[in-house]
Amino acid sequence: MSAMYMVSAQKPTAVTHSMIGRITSSNDLNLIICKNSLIEIYKVTSEGLKFLKQIAIWGVVETLNIYRSKHDKKDNLLVITAKYDVMILSFDLNANGFLEVITKSHGSVKDTIPRQSATHMITVLDETRNIVAIKCYDGILKTLNLNSEHKQLSLSNLRMSDLNVIDLIFLKNDSDYSNLALI
């Protein structure tokens, strides 16, 4: 009988994403560093960086975004993996001072029919309307409403005539609708 066993002997060391936000409290400034499948959270203090938490993600993190809902007092993390799994993570300090990870929502943006994008995955947020646009397939834009209180994320697909989208951005406006610009 033969078997194959694979294991990583060393944790990832190359930084793929880094950002700052206020995820532990509205007063604390945090540094979030993503190293492939590992997310590290630090607190920025006057003495330097204080390590708080290391989170292992089952999969390679493709996009990492910070956002704050209108009713939240602190920021949340929006994580999308290379296998198209989506999760919204929130953080709380418990009584012992340890950082707890809370999965607010989760889901998948995977489709079987469309062709995967030849370029990288793009995720943009419209924080004023709590909408996320995700481009992970050619010709399809997935939208996600962050106002939902459900644990399971609900996505909708929008067909695009442009296949070679390089970048997306939500335009700021005063109307009730979101305007999305693409290159």
Side-chain angles (χ1 to χ4, degrees), residues 2 10 15 19 29 39 51 56 66 86 93-94 96 104-105 118 123 126 130 136 147 162 165 168 170 182-183:
S2 66
Q10 180 179 350
V15 174
M19 55 193 56
L29 185 63
I39 298 175
F51 178 78
I66 291 182
V86 180
L93 285 170
N94 62 14
N96 298 335
K104 291 179 76 173
S105 298
T123 305
D126 184 359
N130 288 335
C136 50
N147 287 330
D162 297 322
V165 176
L168 300 168
F170 278 105
L182 56 101
I183 297 175

Short mmCIF file of all heavy atoms in Angstrom, two decimals, residues 2 10 15 19 29 39 51 56 66 86 93-94 96 104-105 118 123 126 130 136 147 162 165 168 170 182-183:
data_model
loop_
_atom_site.label_atom_id
_atom_site.label_comp_id
_atom_site.label_asym_id
_atom_site.label_seq_id
_atom_site.Cartn_x
_atom_site.Cartn_y
_atom_site.Cartn_z
N SER A 2 0.64 2.15 -0.91
CA SER A 2 1.42 3.38 -0.95
C SER A 2 0.51 4.57 -0.62
O SER A 2 -0.68 4.55 -0.92
CB SER A 2 2.05 3.57 -2.33
OG SER A 2 1.04 3.76 -3.28
N GLN A 10 7.73 24.92 6.93
CA GLN A 10 7.95 26.30 7.34
C GLN A 10 6.72 27.13 6.98
O GLN A 10 6.13 26.95 5.93
CB GLN A 10 9.17 26.86 6.63
CG GLN A 10 9.47 28.29 7.00
CD GLN A 10 10.71 28.81 6.30
OE1 GLN A 10 11.45 28.08 5.68
NE2 GLN A 10 10.92 30.10 6.41
N VAL A 15 5.39 38.47 2.19
CA VAL A 15 4.18 39.26 2.42
C VAL A 15 3.46 39.46 1.09
O VAL A 15 4.05 39.93 0.12
CB VAL A 15 4.52 40.62 3.06
CG1 VAL A 15 3.28 41.49 3.17
CG2 VAL A 15 5.16 40.42 4.42
N MET A 19 -2.02 46.05 5.25
CA MET A 19 -2.90 47.21 5.39
C MET A 19 -3.05 47.58 6.85
O MET A 19 -2.68 46.80 7.72
CB MET A 19 -4.25 46.93 4.75
CG MET A 19 -4.94 45.70 5.25
SD MET A 19 -6.33 45.18 4.25
CE MET A 19 -5.60 45.01 2.68
N LEU A 29 -4.99 51.28 16.51
CA LEU A 29 -4.55 51.15 15.12
C LEU A 29 -3.86 49.81 14.98
O LEU A 29 -2.99 49.45 15.77
CB LEU A 29 -3.60 52.29 14.75
CG LEU A 29 -3.16 52.35 13.30
CD1 LEU A 29 -4.35 52.59 12.38
CD2 LEU A 29 -2.13 53.43 13.10
N ILE A 39 -2.55 35.07 8.12
CA ILE A 39 -2.85 36.47 8.42
C ILE A 39 -2.33 36.77 9.83
O ILE A 39 -2.66 36.06 10.77
CB ILE A 39 -4.36 36.77 8.32
CG1 ILE A 39 -4.85 36.52 6.90
CG2 ILE A 39 -4.66 38.19 8.75
CD1 ILE A 39 -6.34 36.65 6.72
N PHE A 51 2.47 42.00 18.71
CA PHE A 51 1.81 40.88 18.04
C PHE A 51 0.55 40.49 18.81
O PHE A 51 0.58 40.33 20.02
CB PHE A 51 2.76 39.69 17.95
CG PHE A 51 2.14 38.48 17.33
CD1 PHE A 51 1.98 38.40 15.96
CD2 PHE A 51 1.72 37.44 18.11
CE1 PHE A 51 1.41 37.28 15.38
CE2 PHE A 51 1.14 36.31 17.55
CZ PHE A 51 0.99 36.24 16.18
N ALA A 56 -4.44 31.07 10.48
CA ALA A 56 -4.15 30.23 9.32
C ALA A 56 -5.43 30.09 8.49
O ALA A 56 -6.48 29.71 9.01
CB ALA A 56 -3.65 28.87 9.76
N ILE A 66 -10.28 45.75 3.94
CA ILE A 66 -10.82 46.20 5.22
C ILE A 66 -12.01 47.12 4.92
O ILE A 66 -11.94 47.95 4.03
CB ILE A 66 -9.76 46.97 6.03
CG1 ILE A 66 -8.67 46.03 6.51
CG2 ILE A 66 -10.39 47.68 7.21
CD1 ILE A 66 -7.61 46.69 7.34
N VAL A 86 -15.20 33.03 0.20
CA VAL A 86 -15.31 34.39 0.73
C VAL A 86 -15.65 34.30 2.21
O VAL A 86 -16.48 33.49 2.62
CB VAL A 86 -16.42 35.19 0.01
CG1 VAL A 86 -16.52 36.60 0.56
CG2 VAL A 86 -16.19 35.21 -1.47
N LEU A 93 -11.60 41.38 21.51
CA LEU A 93 -10.67 41.06 22.60
C LEU A 93 -11.47 40.47 23.74
O LEU A 93 -12.45 41.06 24.21
CB LEU A 93 -9.94 42.33 23.06
CG LEU A 93 -8.85 42.85 22.15
CD1 LEU A 93 -8.38 44.22 22.60
CD2 LEU A 93 -7.68 41.89 22.10
N ASN A 94 -11.08 39.27 24.20
CA ASN A 94 -11.81 38.66 25.31
C ASN A 94 -11.30 39.20 26.64
O ASN A 94 -10.43 40.07 26.69
CB ASN A 94 -11.74 37.13 25.24
CG ASN A 94 -10.33 36.60 25.35
OD1 ASN A 94 -9.40 37.31 25.73
ND2 ASN A 94 -10.15 35.34 25.01
N ASN A 96 -9.38 37.91 28.80
CA ASN A 96 -7.96 37.60 29.06
C ASN A 96 -7.02 38.43 28.19
O ASN A 96 -5.81 38.32 28.32
CB ASN A 96 -7.69 36.12 28.81
CG ASN A 96 -8.48 35.23 29.75
OD1 ASN A 96 -8.85 35.67 30.83
ND2 ASN A 96 -8.75 34.02 29.32
N LYS A 104 -18.29 36.45 10.56
CA LYS A 104 -19.60 37.06 10.45
C LYS A 104 -20.41 36.45 9.31
O LYS A 104 -21.60 36.24 9.44
CB LYS A 104 -19.46 38.58 10.24
CG LYS A 104 -18.95 39.31 11.45
CD LYS A 104 -18.80 40.77 11.20
CE LYS A 104 -20.14 41.46 11.22
NZ LYS A 104 -20.02 42.92 11.13
N SER A 105 -19.74 36.20 8.18
CA SER A 105 -20.40 35.61 7.02
C SER A 105 -19.38 34.81 6.23
O SER A 105 -18.18 35.03 6.33
CB SER A 105 -20.98 36.69 6.11
OG SER A 105 -21.96 37.43 6.78
N ALA A 118 -8.11 35.69 -16.95
CA ALA A 118 -6.70 35.55 -17.31
C ALA A 118 -5.82 36.47 -16.47
O ALA A 118 -4.64 36.23 -16.29
CB ALA A 118 -6.51 35.85 -18.79
N THR A 123 -11.17 43.02 -6.35
CA THR A 123 -12.24 43.25 -5.38
C THR A 123 -12.24 44.72 -5.01
O THR A 123 -11.21 45.25 -4.60
CB THR A 123 -12.02 42.41 -4.11
OG1 THR A 123 -11.89 41.04 -4.47
CG2 THR A 123 -13.18 42.56 -3.16
N ASP A 126 -17.66 49.61 -2.06
CA ASP A 126 -18.33 50.89 -1.95
C ASP A 126 -18.84 50.97 -0.51
O ASP A 126 -19.89 50.42 -0.18
CB ASP A 126 -19.48 51.00 -2.95
CG ASP A 126 -20.15 52.36 -2.93
OD1 ASP A 126 -19.73 53.23 -2.13
OD2 ASP A 126 -21.09 52.57 -3.71
N ASN A 130 -22.22 49.79 1.16
CA ASN A 130 -21.89 48.43 1.60
C ASN A 130 -22.06 47.40 0.49
O ASN A 130 -22.70 46.37 0.66
CB ASN A 130 -22.71 48.04 2.83
CG ASN A 130 -22.24 48.75 4.07
OD1 ASN A 130 -21.10 49.17 4.15
ND2 ASN A 130 -23.12 48.89 5.03
N CYS A 136 -13.75 37.92 -10.91
CA CYS A 136 -12.91 36.74 -10.88
C CYS A 136 -13.08 35.88 -12.13
O CYS A 136 -12.33 34.93 -12.33
CB CYS A 136 -13.16 35.91 -9.63
SG CYS A 136 -14.87 35.53 -9.30
N ASN A 147 -24.82 44.43 3.73
CA ASN A 147 -25.82 44.80 4.72
C ASN A 147 -26.55 43.59 5.29
O ASN A 147 -27.22 43.68 6.29
CB ASN A 147 -26.87 45.74 4.11
CG ASN A 147 -26.31 47.12 3.90
OD1 ASN A 147 -25.43 47.56 4.62
ND2 ASN A 147 -26.80 47.80 2.88
N ASP A 162 -17.26 43.70 -21.68
CA ASP A 162 -15.80 43.81 -21.72
C ASP A 162 -15.18 42.60 -21.02
O ASP A 162 -15.47 42.31 -19.87
CB ASP A 162 -15.33 45.08 -21.02
CG ASP A 162 -15.83 46.33 -21.71
OD1 ASP A 162 -15.87 46.31 -22.95
OD2 ASP A 162 -16.18 47.30 -21.01
N VAL A 165 -10.86 43.32 -18.39
CA VAL A 165 -10.94 44.36 -17.36
C VAL A 165 -9.65 44.35 -16.57
O VAL A 165 -9.24 43.32 -16.02
CB VAL A 165 -12.15 44.14 -16.44
CG1 VAL A 165 -12.17 45.16 -15.32
CG2 VAL A 165 -13.44 44.19 -17.23
N LEU A 168 -11.02 48.13 -11.46
CA LEU A 168 -12.36 48.63 -11.14
C LEU A 168 -12.26 49.63 -10.00
O LEU A 168 -11.37 49.53 -9.16
CB LEU A 168 -13.26 47.48 -10.68
CG LEU A 168 -13.53 46.33 -11.61
CD1 LEU A 168 -14.20 45.19 -10.84
CD2 LEU A 168 -14.42 46.77 -12.74
N PHE A 170 -15.23 52.17 -7.53
CA PHE A 170 -16.53 52.81 -7.33
C PHE A 170 -16.32 54.32 -7.31
O PHE A 170 -15.43 54.82 -6.62
CB PHE A 170 -17.17 52.37 -6.01
CG PHE A 170 -17.87 51.05 -6.11
CD1 PHE A 170 -17.30 49.91 -5.56
CD2 PHE A 170 -19.09 50.93 -6.74
CE1 PHE A 170 -17.94 48.69 -5.64
CE2 PHE A 170 -19.74 49.72 -6.83
CZ PHE A 170 -19.17 48.59 -6.28
N LEU A 182 -14.58 51.13 -14.93
CA LEU A 182 -13.64 50.05 -15.22
C LEU A 182 -12.72 50.44 -16.35
O LEU A 182 -13.05 51.24 -17.21
CB LEU A 182 -14.36 48.74 -15.55
CG LEU A 182 -15.37 48.73 -16.68
CD1 LEU A 182 -14.75 48.13 -17.92
CD2 LEU A 182 -16.55 47.91 -16.25
N ILE A 183 -11.53 49.89 -16.31
CA ILE A 183 -10.53 50.11 -17.36
C ILE A 183 -10.34 48.79 -18.08
O ILE A 183 -10.18 47.76 -17.48
CB ILE A 183 -9.18 50.56 -16.76
CG1 ILE A 183 -9.34 51.89 -16.06
CG2 ILE A 183 -8.13 50.63 -17.83
CD1 ILE A 183 -8.11 52.36 -15.34
#
